[in-house]
Amino acid sequence: MRVVPLGGLVVAVAAAVVLVVLAPWSQEGDAPPRFSFASYMGAEYVLDGAWPPGGMAVNVRKADTGRLVAEVAAPRGSSGFRDSAGAGDNRTFVLTTADPDACRIRFHGLTLKADGTPAALTELPRTSLRGRLGEGPGLLAVAPGGRGFAYVSQTCGGQPHNVITVIDSSTGDRRVVDLPPKVWASSLGWAPDARHLVFESVTEGVSDGAELRMLDSANGDIRPVSLGSGMVLRSAAYAPDGAHVLVLVHDGRSHRLLWYSMDTGTVTRRVQLPRGESGATTGVEVAGGKVAVIVDETVHLIDGTKIKSSRPVEGGPPGTW
């Protein structure tokens, strides 16, 4: 593991609350389907694309209706946009472009006006890194408040391996964390403290499926999350309290959402969701104290001990907000 100092990270400590609840669920009447998963969490705009990766533009769309607001062109001379992620404020995004010949990845900051049209697209100074593109979803994640971001890439030269680089947006200071050989990381997610990250990892040649790990970006430490036998990891995100990780698993019959305590290393709450196939499209989103889970494009909003299930999302990707 290589460690390079990273400035500007703030640590917050939250108390864990122990609850074990089996929540009921209900259908949300005849409300029309929405365009994106993010709209259920209060997002107003999402980025759609670039698709396929390397496309020369991304679209800004209304999160609920999918209406096209603006098209954002990739910088001239670039190979097109590859990854995108938002800070959760509907206005601040980070996008990547890559130069495969130079083994160089560049990061660009996009800000939107109140009406969703672009205010500025600029390359973030001192943030480019030497590396090749990683593989899988969620390779880029922006820290709360846009204070920094994390990215999964492959090293260049020699025996390539995967690394997670955490970069301070304002100073360019970074911490590079080497992953074990043949380990692939994806689906990065920040904790509210802008210090800890959760991510999924797969070890090449091992058929046990994805594992969940947590990274402390202040010191580069990585520790696994143990979920017990018979649980297939589907999605994960930090809970609003910052003290738990929300883990969506499939137990062979249905999906469950688990509250995993970072302090005790145990599951303190379980919520049973309707039956669904283990290969269903899934995701977990957290914003403003709210929790939402998507399974087979049906959204389940969790509020205390209640689950309100909504009609399927209309088509298209959940989007970045």
Side-chain angles (χ1 to χ4, degrees):
M1 175 177 68
R2 288 173 288 142
V3 173
V4 182
L6 175 73
L9 292 181
V10 178
V11 182
V13 179
V17 178
V18 179
L19 294 171
V20 180
V21 179
L22 183 63
W25 67 289
S26 60
Q27 189 69 24
E28 187 194 347
D30 296 322
R34 303 188 191 186
F35 171 74
S36 78
F37 181 30
S39 68
Y40 291 89
M41 304 303 292
E44 189 173 2
Y45 304 108
V46 292
L47 296 190
D48 180 14
W51 186 256
M56 296 310 296
V58 294
N59 294 321
V60 180
R61 295 186 181 274
K62 286 284 290 180
D64 53 356
T65 65
R67 178 177 65 83
L68 179 63
V69 177
E71 184 179 86
V72 182
R76 290 185 180 180
S78 74
S79 59
F81 290 124
R82 296 286 177 168
D83 311 277
S84 64
D89 61 0
N90 282 292
R91 299 290 185 272
T92 310
F93 302 84
V94 175
L95 301 99
T96 65
T97 59
D99 184 346
D101 294 334
C103 196
R104 180 66 57 181
I105 300 169
R106 302 182 185 279
F107 300 91
H108 308 266
L110 170 66
T111 55
L112 302 180
K113 300 176 184 177
D115 62 0
T117 57
L121 174 68
T122 58
E123 183 175 345
L124 298 174
R126 302 180 298 278
T127 61
S128 70
L129 60 84
R130 177 172 168 77
R132 300 192 186 280
L133 297 168
E135 295 185 12
L139 303 180
L140 173 67
V142 182
R147 289 171 283 177
F149 56 89
Y151 189 71
V152 181
S153 61
Q154 296 184 62
T155 58
C156 300
Q159 184 65 36
H161 62 280
N162 293 288
V163 300
I164 298 177
T165 304
V166 182
I167 301 177
D168 187 294
S169 300
S170 59
T171 66
D173 290 346
R174 62 195 63 199
R175 182 180 297 282
V176 181
V177 180
D178 292 287
L179 296 176
K182 298 184 178 180
V183 170
W184 299 81
S186 63
S187 303
L188 300 180
W190 282 96
D193 63 12
R195 169 174 172 168
H196 295 90
L197 286 142
V198 66
F199 65 95
E200 298 176 24
S201 68
V202 175
T203 303
E204 186 177 334
V206 176
S207 59
D208 292 340
E211 298 178 308
L212 191 63
R213 305 190 188 198
M214 291 186 294
L215 166 65
D216 185 337
S217 67
N219 55 30
D221 288 345
I222 295 177
R223 63 184 175 109
V225 173
S226 178
L227 301 173
S229 61
M231 299 292 182
V232 178
L233 174 64
R234 301 295 293 128
S235 300
Y238 274 93
D241 64 8
H244 292 79
V245 178
L246 299 172
V247 189
L248 183 64
V249 298
H250 194 273
D251 62 7
R253 295 177 300 175
S254 60
H255 288 87
R256 295 182 186 178
L257 187 64
L258 311 179
W259 272 250
Y260 176 89
S261 169
M262 293 175 57
D263 182 41
T264 65
T266 59
V267 175
T268 60
R269 180 183 177 187
R270 297 172 176 83
V271 168
Q272 188 81 29
L273 294 170
R275 288 178 177 269
E277 297 297 326
S278 60
T281 300
T282 62
V284 179
E285 287 279 4
V286 177
K290 297 186 293 185
V291 177
V293 178
I294 184 171
V295 177
D296 265 338
E297 298 186 342
T298 296
V299 176
H300 308 285
L301 296 172
I302 299 174
D303 181 10
T305 61
K306 298 179 180 178
I307 300 180
K308 186 177 183 181
S309 296
S310 303
R311 292 180 57 185
V313 173
E314 179 125 314
T320 302
W321 60 285

